[in-house]
Every structure is written in C-alpha cells, then in structure tokens.
Amino acid sequence: MFEGKVLGIYTAPARREPMVSHQEVRVVPGKGIEGDRYYIGNATYSDRAGPHREVTLIELESIDALEREYGYRLEPELSRRNLLVSGVPLNHLIEREFSIGTVRLRGLLLCEPCATLAETSGHEHIINHLLHRGGLRAEILTEGTIHVGEAVLPGGGE
C-alpha cells in the first residue's frame, strides 16, 4: 500500500519544446493530456501512438537520488515526464491500476531515459544514471481532471 501525491504537472505543445507547468490538466482515454504534444499529434513518436504515450510519470525520489548519487539536479520539467509524484513506487505499478483523484490509470511499462533527455539535461550519462528509475508510462482509463496536490492511490479509486 502507498499514498503518494502529485507534485507537478507538465506538458509540451510540440516535440523539443520546453515543458510548461500546470496546476491542473484534463485527461482523455485514448488521447492523453489535453494540450500535450502526444494529444495534439505533434510529438517525436506520434506516428507510434498508443496507450503508452498517454501520460508519463516520474518519482521525486528518483530525481533526489540522481542528485545524491551523481551530484547533479535534474529539474522535473527537464525529465520530459508529465507528472511528478512522490511516495509512489512507479516500478511496481506495471500492469496495475491506480488513481489520481477521480481519474483511473493503468501502468504499462517503464519510461526509460533516452538520448533526448541526455541532450536537453546536458548530462551525457543520465541514461545510465536513471536506468529503470526514469518513470512510468500509463494508460488513462477514465476521463477527468488531475490537480497538483492530489493523492495517488493503488487500485481504481472511487
């Protein structure tokens, strides 16, 4: 059991555009986060759309470990993940449902770091440093609004 929290929400209107911080976002099953590059179809991998492109999450604990273990800070928006959470064991949510407020999601697969992250962060070894702790790709199961500060809970929520 866990009870985590959403600490930040980020979207980008197009590939390689800076992430924009939000206090809340609307999410739509089969589409993603309204206004995000994958929702719009203006992302690097839009031609490979699917539920694994709907929303991505990263743990604050992974970002803190990066700083503690390797001596540099990755700002959450530079991670290119949509949701910054704390207190959520993301790696354990693969093939499991969880909820953020009234929105239900299902973890699909790890969101491993890529060459774009190395380029935008300015840290060439970040791919190895965040291997298996770069976040989670999730499918949106119910439409709704996600807010900063909302609880992240295991299961489908109510």
Side-chain angles (χ1 to χ4, degrees), residues 76-109:
E77 63 274 11
L78 291 180
S79 74
R80 307 293 292 172
R81 305 301 183 252
N82 300 121
L83 303 176
L84 174 67
V85 298
S86 180
V88 182
L90 294 177
N91 287 20
H92 299 283
L93 292 179
I94 295 172
E95 297 184 14
R96 294 180 187 234
E97 288 188 22
F98 60 102
S99 64
I100 301 176
T102 61
V103 174
R104 288 186 314 109
L105 302 107
R106 178 183 300 115
L108 296 177
L109 56 126

Side-chain angles (χ1 to χ4, degrees), residues 16-146:
R16 298 195 180 268
E17 289 290 317
M19 299 293 274
V20 177
S21 177
H22 304 275
Q23 287 300 302
E24 65 180 44
V25 288
R26 186 116 185 107
V27 298
V28 179
K31 292 281 292 178
I33 300 173
E34 285 185 358
D36 188 56
R37 62 203 183 276
Y38 283 101
Y39 186 95
I40 297 167
N42 194 12
T44 302
Y45 299 107
S46 288
D47 62 335
R48 297 179 224 167
H52 61 286
R53 303 273 183 226
E54 292 179 13
V55 64
T56 56
L57 301 90
I58 191 167
E59 299 170 49
L60 175 63
E61 292 81 359
S62 291
I63 291 173
D64 288 345
L66 189 64
E67 184 172 24
R68 187 175 55 252
E69 295 169 16
Y70 300 104
Y72 60 91
R73 181 81 183 163
L74 176 67
E75 294 305 320
E77 63 274 11
L78 291 180
S79 74
R80 307 293 292 172
R81 305 301 183 252
N82 300 121
L83 303 176
L84 174 67
V85 298
S86 180
V88 182
L90 294 177
N91 287 20
H92 299 283
L93 292 179
I94 295 172
E95 297 184 14
R96 294 180 187 234
E97 288 188 22
F98 60 102
S99 64
I100 301 176
T102 61
V103 174
R104 288 186 314 109
L105 302 107
R106 178 183 300 115
L108 296 177
L109 56 126
L110 295 181
C111 191
E112 297 291 11
C114 64
T116 300
L117 177 60
E119 181 183 319
T120 59
S121 71
H123 298 284
E124 64 181 285
H125 298 292
I126 198 166
I127 295 171
N128 292 331
H129 296 167
L130 279 180
L131 190 63
H132 307 315
R133 58 183 180 179
L136 177 72
R137 295 182 181 281
E139 175 183 16
I140 301 163
L141 301 176
T142 60
E143 186 170 337
T145 302
I146 294 175

